[in-house]
Amino acid sequence: MKFFIDTANLAQIKEANDLGILDGVTTNPSLMAKEGITGTDNVMKHYKAICAIVDGDVSAEVISTDFEGMIREGEMLAALDEKIVVKIPMIKEGIKAIKHLTSMGIKTNCTLVFSSGQAILAAKAGATYISPFIGRLDDISYDGIQLIAEIAQIFAVQGYQTQILAASIRNPIHIIKSAQVGAHVITSPLDSILALLKHPLTDSGLEKFLADHKKANS
Ligand code: G3P
């Protein structure tokens, strides 16, 4: 399973990349706004800065909702760097745009996926990735991990090549469960990735090893 980081914060992207396990980055308009990145020129420069840090796919989201606008933006984003994956919302025009961009050889990530039906449509259109939002489903008392499992089963039965990118990750359990049920990729905030490191027995065990070494060598 690939690990993407879900942020537009360059320091956090660098920190995750320095771990040596980072496979890519996902962003969205909310994450760009959170970093104070505004205006087309600055947004484009920021995507280039992200691409310069990571060796992997970088999802950049369109803000148009009509077919022509999405294609125009998608072409502009894809021209920035070969790492760019054009993120397109799961709407009718979006499906058409995914089909078109795919036929041009441009990678796509269908975002805001909340059902298996939506996942099937995006896969049929040729999306490189689909992004089911598991945290936002959990927030409204639907089981986000169950959706990942259902889509993984459907894609395996049908032989779809589209990769399942578990998004809207809120905690390390989401990452572990996504791996268990067959997600190809998770995209997560840095804190949930770092939380995977933690175990109290690791900390106390290391403390004891070091104390015993010091005693024996003093
Ligand atoms: O990037 C899309 C997704 O990961 C957003 O997550 O936490 O805003 O639901 P969240």
Side-chain angles (χ1 to χ4, degrees):
M1 186 175 78
K2 288 188 276 188
F3 270 56
F4 290 178
I5 187 167
D6 195 28
T7 185
N9 183 285
L10 297 181
Q12 290 187 11
I13 293 168
K14 280 188 190 120
E15 187 176 340
N17 195 54
D18 286 349
L19 267 179
I21 52 90
L22 193 68
D23 301 299
V25 177
T26 54
T27 63
N28 62 41
S30 303
L31 293 171
M32 294 296 271
K34 192 175 164 191
E35 298 307 316
I37 314 298
T38 55
T40 307
D41 284 354
N42 289 332
V43 167
M44 296 298 143
K45 273 186 209 149
H46 202 74
Y47 285 137
K48 283 186 89 69
I50 293 173
C51 289
I53 299 170
V54 293
D55 185 18
D57 285 349
V58 174
S59 284
E61 188 160 341
V62 299
I63 47 165
S64 300
T65 53
D66 62 301
F67 174 77
E68 286 78 14
M70 283 190 262
I71 298 305
R72 192 171 53 247
E73 273 189 74
E75 287 178 1
M76 185 170 69
L77 290 166
L80 286 176
D81 194 293
E82 62 180 16
K83 295 172 188 167
I84 292 286
V85 176
V86 180
K87 209 169 175 187
I88 303 273
M90 165 41 78
I91 54 176
K92 198 172 174 186
E93 295 289 287
I95 290 297
K96 294 183 203 168
I98 288 167
K99 179 82 185 172
H100 185 84
L101 292 169
T102 301
S103 74
M104 294 172 67
I106 293 174
K107 289 178 284 187
T108 57
N109 175 357
C110 184
T111 190
L112 292 164
V113 168
F114 292 95
S115 75
S116 294
Q118 292 177 327
I120 291 170
L121 275 182
K124 286 286 291 173
T128 315
Y129 300 101
I130 52 146
S131 291
F133 278 27
I134 61 180
R136 292 191 195 184
L137 279 171
D138 287 359
D139 289 346
I140 59 159
S141 301
Y142 282 80
D143 187 343
I145 291 295
Q146 181 52 39
L147 176 63
I148 301 291
E150 190 175 301
I151 296 170
Q153 187 188 17
I154 292 167
F155 280 21
V157 168
Q158 295 299 325
Y160 292 144
Q161 296 305 302
T162 298
Q163 295 180 55
I164 303 163
L165 195 171
S168 188
I169 297 268
R170 299 281 162 75
N171 55 60
I173 305 295
H174 275 156
I175 300 176
I176 296 162
K177 291 284 178 188
S178 292
Q180 188 178 26
V181 301
H184 302 98
V185 191
I186 56 92
T187 189
S188 168
L190 182 60
D191 58 356
S192 294
I193 295 173
L194 295 180
L196 293 172
L197 285 165
K198 296 289 176 196
H199 198 289
L201 291 179
T202 304
D203 296 341
S204 59
L206 180 59
E207 199 177 324
K208 176 89 167 65
F209 284 155
L210 295 179
D212 288 347
H213 173 81
K214 195 172 171 188
K215 203 172 2 170
N217 289 275
S218 59

